[in-house]
Amino acid sequence: MNTYMGNEYKGEWRANKREGKGTQIDRQRGGIYDGDWKNSMRHGFGTFSLKEGLGYRKQYSGGWKRDKKHGYGIFYYSEKEYYEGEWFGDERSGWGRMYYQDGSIYEGEWLHDKRDGRGMYRLANENRYEGQWKNDLKNGDGKFFYLDKGQIYEGFWVDDIPKCGQMSDFGREGAPEATQYPIPQVELADSSSVIGEAKNDFESAMS
């Protein structure tokens, strides 16, 4: 066991640097890392756990690169809230699945620790959104399935707000809280063209 800067390290060395397999007790962060090392940095596969009570609680297990989370890994924010997926430079980036405290789940693309790209967000009641995301918000083309009501909204979103689209019935017969009356058919001769023009206007305003 070697001690330096208040930390304790037990493992392999090479050229006076931590290299290979090793375990370090981090007194400053109040945690413990067990895994691969390279050039005295966490690099490869390893697990970081935080001090909790008389023991430790696992916080992250997965890939590391130059002391940062990188590659595939699982991060536990709490007992019921955690992320599993790809990391880049200590941030959620790439594909990943996030389980939230309230029972909702997001599965899709991430960039700089935010939902960004294509993704599906399912609420605890099974209602869900499938579509595009930007800066952690619904942005672009998307569909929201109101399975409890038996309806679906298809349209264009800006910062989590549906701006233009079409609502229609979807599995209304078996919905637990179905609306009293079905949605009437749109009477426009070319509703898709009207929606498309509105979408183009919003996209132009955003650019």
Side-chain angles (χ1 to χ4, degrees):
M1 181 78 73
N2 296 86
T3 303
Y4 68 100
M5 296 180 64
N7 299 323
E8 297 178 358
Y9 174 78
K10 181 178 182 180
E12 298 174 316
W13 295 80
R14 183 180 180 183
N16 205 32
K17 293 184 178 180
R18 288 160 286 170
E19 187 105 6
K21 301 290 184 182
T23 301
Q24 175 174 289
I25 299 176
D26 192 330
R27 300 298 184 188
Q28 295 177 345
R29 303 179 189 177
I32 183 170
Y33 171 80
D34 179 57
D36 298 325
W37 295 82
K38 185 176 182 180
N39 199 29
S40 284
M41 291 184 289
R42 294 170 292 186
H43 192 99
F45 180 85
T47 299
F48 180 78
S49 302
L50 286 172
K51 181 72 173 177
E52 191 172 89
L54 299 177
Y56 290 89
R57 175 180 61 83
K58 181 166 64 177
Q59 185 185 65
Y60 175 78
S61 182
W64 298 80
K65 185 176 182 180
R66 295 184 178 180
D67 235 17
K68 294 183 179 181
K69 295 182 284 293
H70 190 92
Y72 180 84
I74 303 176
F75 189 97
Y76 296 90
Y77 297 88
S78 66
E79 185 177 346
K80 294 183 179 181
E81 187 165 290
Y82 62 97
Y83 169 85
E84 57 179 3
E86 295 176 307
W87 296 78
F88 184 87
D90 249 0
E91 296 179 331
R92 293 169 290 183
S93 286
W95 180 92
R97 184 185 293 118
M98 181 73 195
Y99 296 85
Y100 295 94
Q101 189 80 25
D102 61 5
S104 59
I105 301 172
Y106 171 82
E107 181 175 352
E109 296 176 300
W110 296 76
L111 182 65
H112 299 313
D113 232 19
K114 295 180 180 180
R115 294 169 290 186
D116 202 298
R118 299 289 301 181
M120 183 274 293
Y121 178 66
R122 187 172 74 239
L123 302 174
N125 66 357
E126 298 298 326
N127 288 350
R128 70 181 188 274
Y129 169 82
E130 296 178 3
Q132 296 177 318
W133 297 76
K134 189 71 176 177
N135 292 326
D136 220 32
L137 301 173
K138 304 178 193 72
N139 272 294
D141 293 317
K143 301 177 182 179
F144 200 103
F145 296 82
Y146 297 91
L147 300 181
D148 56 340
K149 306 291 186 184
Q151 297 176 336
I152 179 175
Y153 172 84
E154 301 179 71
F156 189 74
W157 302 69
V158 177
D159 293 342
D160 258 359
I161 300 174
K163 290 295 185 177
C164 59
Q166 182 175 335
M167 182 79 82
S168 57
D169 289 322
F170 181 84
R172 182 172 168 275
E173 297 79 8
E177 300 176 24
T179 56
Q180 185 176 359
Y181 301 105
I183 296 175
Q185 293 295 318
V186 176
E187 298 298 329
L188 292 172
D190 189 357
S191 59
S192 59
S193 177
V194 173
I195 294 173
E197 289 180 8
K199 171 187 170 183
N200 291 334
D201 289 341
F202 280 112
E203 287 180 330
S204 298
M206 291 175 64
S207 61

